[in-house]
Amino acid sequence: MSDEGNLAKGIDLWGVVALGLGTAVGVSIFSAIAPATAIAGPAMLLSVLVAALPMYLIAVSYAFLGSALPVSGASFAWPARFLHPALGFLIAWARIIANMGAMVVLALVLVRYGSMILPLPVKPTMFAVLVLALLANLFGVHIAATVQKWLLGAMLILFAVFIAWGGSTAVDLSRLQPLFPNGLHGMIAAMPLLMGLFFGIEAATEAGAEVADSRRAIPLGIALSIGSATLLYLAVGFVALGVMGAPALGASEAPILDAAKVFMGPVATPLIVLAAVLSIGKSLNAMFAMFSRSLYAMGTAGMLPAALGRVHPRWQTPHIALLAVFAIGCAGLLLPMELTFLFLAVNIPNLLKYASICLSAARVVERHDDLYEAAAFKFARPTMRTFAYAGAACALALALVGLEADWRPYALLGGWVLAGAAFRWLHTRARG
């Protein structure tokens, strides 16, 4: 039996925006701009817009379902209900590895940036970061949402300083020429590197049962999040290109920091390191909120141990699921500390999740008239179906892109999914 009714509705519209924008604007903005510029040159800015298009398609399905049926653990609950329970389980099961990898990536990059100011032991500091994320989420969703808002606000102020200072004193438009040094092919080839900039925009749907006025706040919050993220990436990328030029920016290992050093001097390192720590910290905070709700939903559905579905009577949070997230993050400290491997391990299950959500949206449009009519956000049925199937096709195609880069995450996930199928079969037999 679900305790969803006992979860506190502690997330308002700006909490939805803080979770979505805060999750998306994390590691990628500090790492993806340089390799994308090396491939596309100044056309990297257009690559950002092209990379955003699949996520805009996917966001339509999230906004539609979030306004029709807000639930906790949406990435499990929607596919399980509208496609098949086994598919919902396997998508959520695969995302255990994805979320483990994401927590490790976030903690690792946060520690690396912090070490630019003060030398830090890597794994002990990563463990301490996981403890802080657990504490921010354990004692009430309103605390996690408040922390998220403060972290996001501080990060946006620091990026605004970077954009205004660099844009007014150091940008030279001649450095944006030629726009297409590697042709249209270069612009398109850079797109997969930039897709990760928009992952997580849908974060608040995972805590849909805890969003106040969810049928309005979720679609509006998703729209504000993805729009704000696009503008932020374009502004930061424009300043970095205008300050350094494409060749220097493409060769940089710390592109935002190197651009800031040109016009900020010695102030650049502490300011950009602080921006990185705030940016990555809020992504990790949101990760705990999202992942715990997925485990919670699977616990209440009887597909994982029922203890994961418990809600603390005082804090009104899924405390056992949050402790499980913390334990999984700690286990992730044993994974290879290779960012390519970890990024692929994160992105593949996320893309499969996006495909399943889009197909769920299509199924609601086609077979569930009551939910379609109840949705506060929707287009006409043919348009909704087109958005849903196009989003699913984009997600599935992009899931295959990384196979050339490293086959190991695919093998790891394949083995993990087989283990999940075996677990579900044994668990079903034991219960039946």
Side-chain angles (χ1 to χ4, degrees):
M1 182 176 177
S2 172
D3 286 327
E4 193 160 286
N6 296 326
L7 293 169
K9 290 189 178 292
I11 305 173
D12 59 11
L13 172 62
W14 298 111
V16 172
V17 174
L19 284 170
L21 185 59
T23 304
V25 183
V27 171
S28 294
I29 193 172
F30 294 96
S31 57
I33 287 178
T37 301
I39 295 171
M44 178 273 294
L45 297 175
L46 298 177
S47 300
V48 170
L49 291 175
V50 176
L53 291 178
M55 203 63 213
Y56 274 80
L57 292 173
I58 293 164
V60 169
S61 290
Y62 269 101
F64 167 64
L65 289 174
S67 72
L69 186 68
V71 294
S72 287
S75 60
F76 159 74
W78 290 337
R81 175 172 175 178
F82 300 121
L83 299 178
H84 194 281
L87 180 61
F89 171 83
L90 291 175
I91 293 291
W93 179 269
R95 290 187 63 244
I96 293 175
I97 287 289
N99 286 313
M100 176 191 288
M103 287 189 285
V104 172
V105 167
L106 292 168
L108 175 62
V109 177
L110 188 151
V111 171
R112 286 182 177 177
Y113 267 93
S115 295
M116 294 180 181
I117 302 295
L118 178 69
L120 298 169
V122 175
K123 291 196 175 180
T125 309
M126 290 172 70
F127 176 79
V129 167
L130 293 174
V131 171
L132 290 175
L134 171 65
L135 294 177
N137 281 269
L138 190 59
F139 301 112
V141 71
H142 64 285
I143 296 176
T146 299
V147 169
Q148 193 73 1
K149 291 175 187 177
W150 279 102
L151 291 174
L152 177 63
M155 182 209 72
L156 290 175
I157 289 171
L158 293 175
F159 273 126
V161 170
F162 173 85
I163 293 165
W165 192 342
S168 62
T169 64
V171 166
D172 181 350
L173 294 180
S174 67
R175 296 193 179 106
L176 275 68
Q177 298 295 329
L179 182 60
F180 296 97
N182 299 315
L184 287 174
H185 172 75
M187 184 198 79
I188 295 169
M191 185 190 76
L193 296 174
L194 299 169
M195 270 292 297
L197 292 172
F198 300 94
F199 285 177
I201 288 294
E202 77 293 341
T205 60
E206 294 297 331
E210 296 162 88
V211 177
D213 192 16
S214 53
R215 295 178 187 275
R216 170 185 171 273
I218 288 176
L220 181 56
I222 289 174
L224 290 171
S225 296
I226 196 167
S228 300
T230 305
L231 292 174
L232 176 65
Y233 295 143
L234 289 174
V236 170
F238 172 79
V239 170
L241 276 166
V243 168
M244 296 183 67
L249 186 65
S252 173
E253 293 186 359
I256 307 300
L257 177 58
D258 287 344
K261 285 179 178 178
V262 173
F263 56 89
M264 291 183 180
V267 176
T269 298
L271 189 144
I272 298 302
V273 167
L274 178 59
V277 169
L278 291 171
S279 179
I280 297 165
K282 64 179 178 33
S283 294
L284 187 60
N285 180 58
M287 177 65 62
F288 266 71
M290 289 190 303
F291 187 18
S292 61
R293 272 55 180 185
S294 180
L295 296 180
Y296 162 83
M298 295 176 77
T300 60
M303 292 193 175
L304 286 178
L308 292 170
R310 293 179 186 167
V311 175
H312 194 278
R314 179 178 176 185
W315 306 329
Q316 294 181 288
T317 57
H319 57 299
I320 303 298
L322 280 163
L323 291 170
V325 170
F326 173 72
I328 291 167
C330 291
L333 298 179
L334 302 175
L335 288 174
M337 296 293 139
E338 301 173 24
L339 286 179
T340 300
F341 174 91
L342 291 169
F343 273 126
L344 286 173
V346 171
N347 289 348
I348 298 163
N350 276 338
L351 288 164
L352 295 177
K353 174 192 75 171
Y354 291 150
S356 73
I357 296 302
C358 290
L359 292 175
S360 297
R363 184 66 60 88
V364 168
V365 172
E366 294 166 350
R367 302 188 183 182
H368 297 270
D369 291 342
D370 56 333
L371 291 175
Y372 175 81
E373 295 300 332
F377 170 86
K378 59 179 178 284
F379 296 109
R381 289 179 189 271
T383 306
M384 279 301 312
R385 278 197 299 268
T386 300
F387 275 121
Y389 284 121
C394 287
L396 291 173
L398 289 166
L400 300 175
V401 166
L403 191 56
E404 291 184 13
D406 193 341
W407 60 268
R408 294 175 302 162
Y410 291 85
L412 172 64
L413 290 165
W416 179 249
V417 168
L418 289 175
F423 171 84
R424 185 172 187 274
W425 181 75
L426 292 171
H427 187 61
T428 301
R429 287 195 64 183
R431 295 183 68 202

